[in-house]
Amino acid sequence: MTKKQKYAFLMFIKFVASELRITNPYKVVLSNDRGKFKTTAYYNPETGELAVYKKGRALIDIMRSAAHELVHHQQNQKKQLNKNVKDIGGPIEDEANAVAGQLIKKFGYAHPKLDVFNL
């Protein structure tokens, strides 16, 4: 990641946490190690850690993955996560997918000079 991309990513994470009104502690880890991932990102509800695979991915895709996992953190904060959450489909996953996309657009409109869609 370039310096500008790192700056944009950090701004985005702060933006998402604010938009989602996240109050519980969380940690974001970016990784180049594909061996740790079944998919491109994951969230650990016990620790509040979310990890996103970044190697070879566009910044906008990394940001969307991070937002998706932060939505899961918000759901956890609201006590909406349980052991029966579907990995594909269902209200929890559908909300995380939809809100992540909305947050990307909202951030892009709020920070047009960053041009996050082309970094």
Side-chain angles (χ1 to χ4, degrees):
M1 279 181 136
T2 68
K3 219 175 191 182
K4 189 173 181 180
Q5 288 173 324
K6 287 178 189 175
Y7 174 75
F9 183 78
L10 290 173
M11 282 189 62
F12 178 70
I13 294 300
K14 289 178 184 178
F15 174 84
V16 170
S18 174
E19 287 288 312
L20 297 178
R21 294 183 176 91
I22 291 175
T23 56
N24 290 359
Y26 63 92
K27 179 181 178 182
V28 179
V29 176
L30 295 175
S31 178
N32 285 323
D33 183 2
R34 184 68 176 153
K36 294 181 179 181
F37 296 88
K38 283 194 267 183
T39 61
T40 55
Y42 67 85
Y43 170 67
N44 182 330
E46 278 115 41
T47 66
E49 180 177 289
L50 59 110
V52 180
Y53 181 69
K54 68 176 185 166
K55 188 175 181 182
R57 298 179 69 206
L59 177 63
I60 203 75
D61 294 330
I62 295 166
M63 292 166 74
R64 194 211 58 79
S65 291
H68 176 105
E69 301 307 330
L70 279 168
V71 172
H72 286 322
H73 186 62
Q74 179 201 46
Q75 293 165 335
N76 191 31
Q77 183 175 286
K78 291 177 172 180
K79 310 271 190 259
Q80 294 174 333
L81 296 184
N82 61 41
K83 293 180 190 216
N84 299 322
V85 174
K86 290 181 182 181
D87 189 35
I88 299 170
I92 295 295
E93 256 328 274
D94 289 349
E95 178 185 30
N97 285 324
V99 173
Q102 292 167 7
L103 289 165
I104 288 285
K105 265 189 165 173
K106 201 170 184 179
F107 181 76
Y109 292 150
H111 302 281
K113 288 185 180 180
L114 281 177
D115 195 18
V116 294
F117 300 104
N118 292 307
L119 281 179

